[in-house]
Amino acid sequence: MNRLKFKQNSVLPGFGLSLGFTVFYLSLIVLVPLSALILRSAEGGLEGFWRTVSQPRVLASFRVTFASALQAALLNVVFGVTVAWFLVRGRFPLKRLVDALVDLPFAMPTAVSGIALTALLAPNSALGLALARLGVQVAFTPHGITVAMIFIGLPFVIRSVQPALADLSAELEEAASSLGATRAQTLWRVVLPLLAPSILSGFTLAFARALGEYGSVVFIAGNMPMRTEIASLLIITKLEQFDYTGATAIAVALLALSLLGILAINLIQARAARHWGN
Amino acid sequence: MKRGKGRNRKGWLANAALCAAALTVIGALVVLPLGVILAEAFSGGWRLWAASVAEPEARGAILLTLAVTALAVPLNTVFGVAAAWALAKFRFRGRSLLLTLVDLPFAVSPVIAGLIFVLVFGRSGWFGGWLAERGLKVIFGTPGIVLATLFVTFPFVARELIPLMSEQGSEEEQAALSLGASGWKTFFKVTLPNIKWGLLYGIILCNARAMGEFGAVSVVSGHIRGETLTLPLHVEVLYNEYNFTAAFACASLLAGLAVVTIILKTVVELKGARDAA
């Protein structure tokens, strides 16, 4: 009988009002506009969708976006775990300040990050000149896109790994080393498997954020079609040409590809969790 | 004895290496970009900075950003509290679906968030013709900017409150109600004091994103000077005109906002932790 009821009994008031407002507001701001994306993309038909998405320029933009996001998320795992390790286990007088600074890329408006990174790495800047002497150009190349994506993704990995690392009891490591494991063995066989789920979820968050990122990337990317043009920018270009169908098709493809990517990572995570038994 | 000392030194070296690595990452990726903004903003001196920020178009952009934020943040705060009340205090069918849907805007990239409103309200959008007949402008106008901002800042307050209120349960509210307090009185006297730090935390993050949003707003704004340029869009326009000093002067205001945001966030975290203890 209880199974058939919509809601479990409660003495608290306001269920109807709060749920009603939630559903109404959610529909107004999120669901109806998002359904426009799906319905409008269906208007052009499957053939029209494919014609847009299979254009070389569109494919190239997907390739650039995904490759850069993947690179950035992988590098962020290295940087993020290092910083998280420092924040949990390091001894440093100004640790609290560093801890607060970690959130700055998240709080900084993306356009501001974009022009700051560009100014920092432009070919005529001090750093840009030094890198040019080494034969590396970062700004206005695919490397620039990766740098911007590292910047915006870093807090996600740190904030995922930090609590997991803090929960890790030192006794486990002591037990491993008292049983004769070397430090490297302890890290690889004991610590890493315990941190893996949080590292993976940080990686996923950073990757997802990088895929859709626009503001911090467009300034440093140079935006050359086929080479440094990201998918988000191509959507805007199509819109400026009043090609709504094209813009919608690219948006749907980007959304679908990123959902697939996240789904794949979640599957890996579930498998890893089963494998390591946590 | 000797061995202990050796291990100590090894520990010190490991700590030094760890500090050096982590500080290099944070220094290069966080401190350096912040420093560049300040250096560029004040490269022409204090006076030029003040002139760039006080110039009429910059003032207009600041006012528009404040107006949009003043609309978006309270609306999403009311929504966040209502959603958290329904989702944290009650168990009902479809609850987990609703939880997922509340978070959905975080999974949509900013440019797509702008695009969907163009598809609904734009020239050839669903309501485009209807709006044009009545001389109303949503896209390339302030209403579009508000809608896009509402979308991208949608989950901030709700996602902070839902776990907090679920954890707190509803015993205290039940006690208040059984002692004869009304529903609203229970909410304002019992629930609100319990959630105040979480609520403030959500509002701070929501506010930062509302003032700084670029991608979504860029799509719906149309970049009309003196009309639909928010502060981040004004920075973009100045930068693309090679007016770097003015661009960085306005950007330094937004960077200041980000710094204030992380300071407030840290303070609220500490206060919340102290109250919980």
Side-chain angles (χ1 to χ4, degrees), chain B residues 137-212:
Chain B
K137 209 158 73 168
V138 173
I139 299 305
F140 302 160
T142 312
I145 298 176
V146 174
L147 282 171
T149 307
L150 280 174
F151 184 94
V152 292
T153 59
F154 188 85
F156 278 105
V157 175
R159 124 180 301 211
E160 233 24 84
L161 290 184
I162 293 168
L164 182 67
M165 283 166 74
S166 301
E167 200 181 305
Q168 285 173 350
S170 53
E171 279 91 7
E172 289 184 35
E173 281 85 359
Q174 284 172 14
L177 288 164
S178 70
L179 291 171
S182 71
W184 286 111
K185 195 168 179 186
T186 305
F187 173 76
F188 282 111
K189 298 272 177 182
V190 177
T191 311
L192 204 56
N194 277 338
I195 61 169
K196 62 176 180 227
W197 295 122
L199 181 64
L200 201 57
Y201 192 90
I203 292 174
I204 291 167
L205 296 184
C206 184
N207 179 70
R209 181 75 192 265
M211 288 190 173

Side-chain angles (χ1 to χ4, degrees), chain B residues 27-239:
Chain B
L29 283 172
V30 180
V31 179
L32 217 51
L34 190 63
V36 164
I37 296 165
L38 294 179
E40 295 276 340
F42 292 101
S43 63
W46 174 260
R47 284 240 172 95
L48 192 58
W49 179 88
S52 313
V53 172
E55 171 253 343
E57 273 184 15
R59 271 209 316 256
I62 294 169
L63 285 178
L64 179 60
T65 296
L66 291 176
V68 169
T69 309
L71 272 171
V73 174
L75 276 172
N76 277 342
T77 303
V78 171
F79 159 75
V81 173
W85 184 266
L87 287 162
K89 302 279 184 193
F90 300 93
R91 292 290 173 272
F92 54 92
R93 279 201 194 176
R95 181 176 169 274
S96 53
L97 174 68
L98 202 54
L99 274 172
T100 313
L101 290 177
V102 166
D103 262 348
L104 195 59
F106 276 166
V108 177
S109 76
V111 168
I112 298 180
L115 168 71
I116 59 178
F117 289 103
V118 175
L119 294 178
V120 176
F121 298 109
R123 215 177 50 172
S124 65
W126 281 352
F127 303 120
W130 188 88
L131 288 167
E133 274 168 28
R134 282 155 189 79
L136 299 170
K137 209 158 73 168
V138 173
I139 299 305
F140 302 160
T142 312
I145 298 176
V146 174
L147 282 171
T149 307
L150 280 174
F151 184 94
V152 292
T153 59
F154 188 85
F156 278 105
V157 175
R159 124 180 301 211
E160 233 24 84
L161 290 184
I162 293 168
L164 182 67
M165 283 166 74
S166 301
E167 200 181 305
Q168 285 173 350
S170 53
E171 279 91 7
E172 289 184 35
E173 281 85 359
Q174 284 172 14
L177 288 164
S178 70
L179 291 171
S182 71
W184 286 111
K185 195 168 179 186
T186 305
F187 173 76
F188 282 111
K189 298 272 177 182
V190 177
T191 311
L192 204 56
N194 277 338
I195 61 169
K196 62 176 180 227
W197 295 122
L199 181 64
L200 201 57
Y201 192 90
I203 292 174
I204 291 167
L205 296 184
C206 184
N207 179 70
R209 181 75 192 265
M211 288 190 173
E213 179 52 29
F214 178 68
V217 168
S218 176
V219 174
V220 295
S221 135
H223 292 81
I224 307 166
R225 295 192 90 119
E227 238 184 88
T228 63
L229 287 186
T230 62
L231 194 52
L233 295 176
H234 183 61
V235 169
E236 181 201 16
V237 168
L238 290 170
Y239 187 87

Side-chain angles (χ1 to χ4, degrees), chain A residues 18 24 27 48 109 113 121 159 163 167-168 183 214 218 224 247-248 259 272:
Chain A
S18 60
F24 168 74
S27 310
S113 320
L121 291 160
R159 294 301 184 220
D167 281 346
L168 203 73
R183 185 74 188 136
Y214 173 71
V218 279
M224 273 173 296
T248 312
L259 287 179

Side-chain angles (χ1 to χ4, degrees), chain B residues 244-255:
Chain B
F244 293 138
T245 310
F248 277 100
C250 292
S252 71
L253 289 180
L254 290 165

